[in-house]
Amino acid sequence: MIELLICGGTIVTVNKKREIIKEGAVAINNGRIIDLGESSIIKEKYPQVKKTINAAGKAVFPGLINTHNHLFQSLLKGLGDDRVLSDWLVQVMFPSAAKLTPEEAYYGALLGCLEGLHSGTTTVLDYMHAHPMPELSDAVIEAFKTTGIRGILGRGYMDNGLEFGTPEALMEETSFIEKDCCRLIEKYHNTNDGKIQIWIAPAAVWLSTEESLLMSKRLAETYKVGITVHISETPFDRDASRKLHGRWDMEVMERLGVLGPNVLMVHCVHLTPHDIRMAKYFDAKVSHNPVSNMYLSSGVAPVPRLLESGVTVGLATDGAASNNSNDMLEVLKLAALLHKVHHLDPTIVTAEKVLEMATIDGARALGLEEEIGSLEIGKKADMFIFNPLSGVKAVPMHHPVSTLVYSSNQNNVETVIVNGEILLEQGRILNVNEEEILVKAQKVADELSIKAGTYVYKSRPWRSLAY
């Protein structure tokens, strides 16, 4: 007897052949896909099933992979509007992060994970850079466990950049950073049935000393884990890096020997052609955050050029303080539309490419392409079922990929499965009381805004025009 059979739906595999199986089925057992194909054949092969889901008229997609988030920022939605990155950091993000407690980190992460699941996200990399007190990363990991999502905790740090407004409360000694990274890796890496991993995450080159960047490289090599770092999000990042280190941020990484296939560079909006060649040469990966880049007016990342050069590019929401949501469905649509209008070319980024970036390319960016990112026999059973009839926006569904990218919303995400476990069914989270969490998250968000002084932005004046 197998545990789960999904039958009758359109299976969008995103496998190497990019097969779409109409009236297909997926058989799941022990957390993995053990078979898939035509529904009639699969049902005959597996007559005894604990649970069967009828997906007729629906589509089954690989789970979406969010390659960059700051989950605690789920508590900061709406406070950072209409600011460039440097002002946003100093006025909203840094003051909030400096006052963060484990309870707030936990509920911010819970809120972000739940919103992610509702949008079909099954894997999230949380870039936890705020450490004004010990064990805030542990609170995020606890939220991963509570929700059941597949989570990578990037243990972030800052040990440089005081002259650019970084608060002392967020600065840590390199020796302590190294000790805590080791603790987290040894305690949590590959735990929870392999769903939790730990990475090293220097906040940015201009927020890091050379000593700590070299420490990141050493730890990643010792423990065989990934490194993720903000790179060239704005001209400010590049100029600050040059002032502190004498080189642009990516050039610093290259000089120190940090760049490599285990490095995920975030944003990369202002890469030069030389930077792109370096990314390809070292097989460094890129996390594209189009909504955040638009929200902060950071610019348009050279994604078509990166893709043409053979660089792996995944998609991400970024933290909700610079997006106002953790909704990967929004990211899909805006990633396609942003590049079409920017380049005046409707074919430059297609719906199919966007889905690849959010699934198999995202998995490759995380070094997990052999485990997740597509619906194939032997891979982890991470997927979601899309019901077009759950919202008028998605009807009619002529092509499931187009409908997902351009015509969907969270109402259409009917079922979400991670590691073979159903976490969301009929649009409802199964293993937590979502209503209670939302009420509590509002309460702790209000308390944090008072402590941080950002409550003043709740009653901002009406601004119809810029001046």
Side-chain angles (χ1 to χ4, degrees):
M1 177 177 290
I2 67 169
E3 295 168 356
L4 181 61
L5 181 66
I6 303 169
C7 58
T10 298
I11 315 298
V12 183
T13 66
V14 199
N15 63 12
K16 290 181 177 62
K17 295 181 179 180
R18 302 300 190 254
E19 292 174 292
I20 296 178
I21 306 169
K22 296 182 178 180
E23 295 188 18
V26 183
I28 297 167
N29 204 44
N30 294 323
R32 291 189 181 270
I33 299 169
I34 62 169
D35 214 342
L36 77 167
E38 293 181 15
S39 193
S40 58
I41 296 173
I42 300 299
K43 287 170 67 176
E44 186 174 346
K45 286 177 67 174
Y46 304 97
Q48 294 186 318
V49 182
K50 288 183 181 179
K51 183 180 179 66
T52 299
I53 297 176
N54 182 2
K58 305 169 187 178
V60 184
F61 292 96
L64 303 181
I65 297 170
N66 188 345
T67 57
H68 183 71
N69 205 328
H70 306 289
L71 286 169
F72 79 87
Q73 291 183 13
S74 299
L75 303 178
L76 311 182
K77 293 176 182 177
L79 295 175
D81 295 353
D82 308 323
R83 290 172 175 81
V84 296
L85 174 68
S86 54
D87 291 340
W88 172 85
L89 283 171
V90 173
Q91 296 171 14
V92 179
M93 204 289 294
F94 282 159
S96 303
K99 299 293 184 180
L100 199 64
T101 66
E103 180 184 43
E104 290 156 354
Y106 175 69
Y107 278 97
L110 269 185
L111 187 60
C113 288
L114 293 178
E115 188 180 2
L117 287 169
H118 276 290
S119 68
T121 302
T122 55
T123 299
V124 60
L125 190 160
D126 183 47
Y127 202 124
M128 184 54 183
H129 60 77
H131 291 278
M133 62 175 61
E135 301 190 359
L136 292 181
S137 290
D138 301 71
V140 175
I141 292 169
E142 191 60 33
F144 289 160
K145 293 179 179 179
T146 300
T147 59
I149 203 166
R150 190 178 302 281
I152 298 175
L153 188 285
R155 203 298 187 182
Y157 67 79
M158 306 175 194
D159 70 340
N160 206 353
L162 279 173
E163 58 264 58
F164 297 110
T166 308
E168 289 194 39
L170 296 177
M171 304 282 281
E172 298 177 278
E173 293 291 333
T174 304
S175 59
F176 178 79
I177 296 165
E178 182 170 9
K179 182 179 178 181
D180 197 46
C181 287
C182 293
R183 177 188 71 85
L184 289 166
I185 294 169
E186 292 169 5
K187 183 175 181 179
Y188 295 113
H189 189 58
N190 282 328
T191 61
N192 200 28
D193 199 17
K195 289 194 295 183
I196 292 174
Q197 293 191 6
I198 307 297
W199 279 29
I200 313 300
V205 172
W206 65 273
L207 289 165
S208 307
T209 61
E210 288 193 5
E211 179 188 6
S212 63
L213 289 170
L214 289 170
M215 177 269 294
S216 296
K217 176 190 176 186
R218 184 172 65 252
L219 288 181
E221 290 174 346
T222 300
Y223 289 104
K224 303 293 189 294
V225 298
I227 298 172
T228 185
V229 58
H230 295 86
I231 292 289
S232 294
E233 183 174 359
T234 67
F236 167 80
D237 293 84
R238 296 176 66 84
D239 292 341
S241 175
R242 186 159 187 140
K243 182 174 181 180
L244 292 172
H245 297 288
R247 296 169 185 255
W248 308 128
D249 46 9
M250 195 169 169
E251 291 174 347
V252 175
M253 297 277 288
E254 187 273 337
R255 182 174 63 84
L256 296 177
V258 181
L259 282 181
N262 67 327
V263 174
L264 176 60
M265 306 186 299
V266 183
H267 296 300
C268 299
V269 175
H270 294 275
L271 296 187
T272 66
H274 179 250
D275 294 332
I276 294 172
R277 290 196 299 273
M278 277 200 295
K280 173 59 178 174
Y281 180 82
F282 290 101
D283 194 23
K285 315 303 193 296
V286 170
S287 172
H288 178 38
N289 297 239
V291 180
S292 174
N293 296 158
M294 287 188 278
Y295 180 92
L296 294 172
S297 67
S298 299
V300 181
V303 168
R305 180 70 180 270
L306 286 162
L307 296 175
E308 290 168 2
S309 299
V311 177
T312 297
V313 180
L315 286 181
T317 58
D318 205 354
S322 63
N323 179 314
N324 288 2
S325 85
N326 295 284
D327 188 342
M328 279 292 287
L329 297 176
E330 284 186 350
V331 173
L332 294 179
K333 182 170 185 174
L334 291 173
L337 299 184
L338 172 62
H339 296 286
K340 291 177 189 294
V341 69
H342 180 70
H343 294 276
L344 302 180
D345 182 350
T347 67
I348 198 147
V349 175
T350 65
E352 287 82 1
K353 187 58 201 176
V354 164
L355 180 59
E356 291 173 3
M357 291 163 67
T359 54
I360 190 62
D361 292 345
R364 190 170 292 111
L366 302 180
L368 295 173
E369 68 270 26
E370 298 301 320
E371 294 287 337
I372 60 175
S374 60
L375 302 180
E376 300 183 70
I377 295 172
K379 284 198 170 185
K380 301 274 187 164
D382 289 12
M383 64 195 73
F384 68 96
I385 301 174
F386 181 93
N387 185 358
L389 299 182
S390 294
V392 66
K393 183 180 179 182
V395 177
M397 183 171 74
H398 293 301
H399 190 289
V401 177
S402 177
T403 299
L404 176 72
V405 172
Y406 297 123
S407 306
S408 68
N409 61 44
Q410 293 186 13
N411 292 337
N412 300 119
V413 178
E414 185 173 84
T415 303
V416 176
I417 299 166
V418 177
N419 236 36
E421 179 186 0
I422 299 174
L423 302 182
L424 181 144
E425 190 170 34
Q426 299 299 319
R428 294 190 63 81
I429 302 289
L430 297 183
N431 54 357
V432 297
N433 187 320
E434 194 167 5
E435 289 77 10
E436 287 184 3
I437 290 172
L438 298 184
V439 171
K440 180 67 173 180
Q442 180 67 59
K443 181 175 183 294
V444 299
D446 290 338
E447 292 170 351
L448 177 59
S449 71
I450 292 170
K451 287 191 300 179
T454 58
Y455 68 91
V456 298
Y457 304 130
K458 293 184 177 184
S459 56
R460 67 191 183 202
W462 191 280
R463 290 175 292 189
S464 297
L465 295 174
Y467 57 88

